């Protein structure tokens, strides 16, 4: 059994209310959190901190969440980060676009506060052992 060390999660979200909500949900589960409020910062923080998972808002200023995801998938040191795409005003084809950009899971807003931590925990469990920190 691995010790119960919680893996870092990056929240990329520009809406302060959504950020607060996501922060509250994940903090309650004990995850160390990183935050970014635009796409450029999200990429920068991901590269520097190598979080296990990113909650990625699709509509972000400076660089969209899809663009950030596509770039992350091109960087070998980052390509294994689990990415959950979240989007408001979900439209037909959004999920496909998110998947094509390299997102692992797609969740429409409003965020289901009970479902999210379950999805996060499942994704962290599914990560391959060789992608986990020692
Ligand atoms: Mn947004």
């Amino acid at each position: 059994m691995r010790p119960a060390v919680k893996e870092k999660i990056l929240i990329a979200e520009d809406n302060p209310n959504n950020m607060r909500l996501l922060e509250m949900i994940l903090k309650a589960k004990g995850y160390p959190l990183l935050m970014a409020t635009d796409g450029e910062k999200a990429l920068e923080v991901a590269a520097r901190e190598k979080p296990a998972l990113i909650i990625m808002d699709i509509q972000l200023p400076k660089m969209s969440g899809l663009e950030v995801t596509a770039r992350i998938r091109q960087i070998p040191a980052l390509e294994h980060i689990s990415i959950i795409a979240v989007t408001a005003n979900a439209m037909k084809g959004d999920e496909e676009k998110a998947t094509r950009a390299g997102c692992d899971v797609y969740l429409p807003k409003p965020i289901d506060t009970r479902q999210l931590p379950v999805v996060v925990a499942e994704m962290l469990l599914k990560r391959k052992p060789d992608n986990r920190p020692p």
Side-chain angles (χ1 to χ4, degrees), residues 39-58:
E40 285 176 6
K41 285 206 190 87
L43 187 58
E44 198 182 294
V45 174
R48 191 177 61 228
E49 303 283 343
K50 300 184 179 59
L53 184 145
I54 302 175
I55 312 282
M56 184 77 77
D57 178 30
I58 295 301

Side-chain angles (χ1 to χ4, degrees), residues 7-81:
E7 293 166 289
K8 276 185 287 187
I9 296 177
L10 166 61
I11 308 172
E13 171 63 78
D14 62 317
N15 178 296
N17 293 327
N18 291 334
M19 178 64 98
R20 255 195 301 277
L21 177 66
L22 291 165
E23 189 186 348
M24 210 173 65
I25 297 169
L26 296 170
K27 212 178 239 175
K29 299 293 176 187
Y31 295 107
L33 300 179
L34 304 159
M35 282 163 244
T37 52
D38 68 55
E40 285 176 6
K41 285 206 190 87
L43 187 58
E44 198 182 294
V45 174
R48 191 177 61 228
E49 303 283 343
K50 300 184 179 59
L53 184 145
I54 302 175
I55 312 282
M56 184 77 77
D57 178 30
I58 295 301
Q59 289 88 16
L60 284 175
K62 294 190 183 170
M63 194 190 296
S64 80
L66 294 181
E67 175 78 30
V68 178
T69 300
R71 292 196 187 202
I72 283 174
R73 292 301 183 229
Q74 288 165 7
I75 303 170
L78 308 180
E79 65 181 346
H80 299 296
I81 296 175

Side-chain angles (χ1 to χ4, degrees), residues 65-103:
L66 294 181
E67 175 78 30
V68 178
T69 300
R71 292 196 187 202
I72 283 174
R73 292 301 183 229
Q74 288 165 7
I75 303 170
L78 308 180
E79 65 181 346
H80 299 296
I81 296 175
S82 301
I83 300 180
I84 299 178
V86 293
T87 185
N89 314 313
M91 293 200 296
K92 217 175 159 200
D94 279 358
E95 180 164 13
E96 198 200 322
K97 273 188 229 159
T99 308
R100 218 182 308 131
C103 298

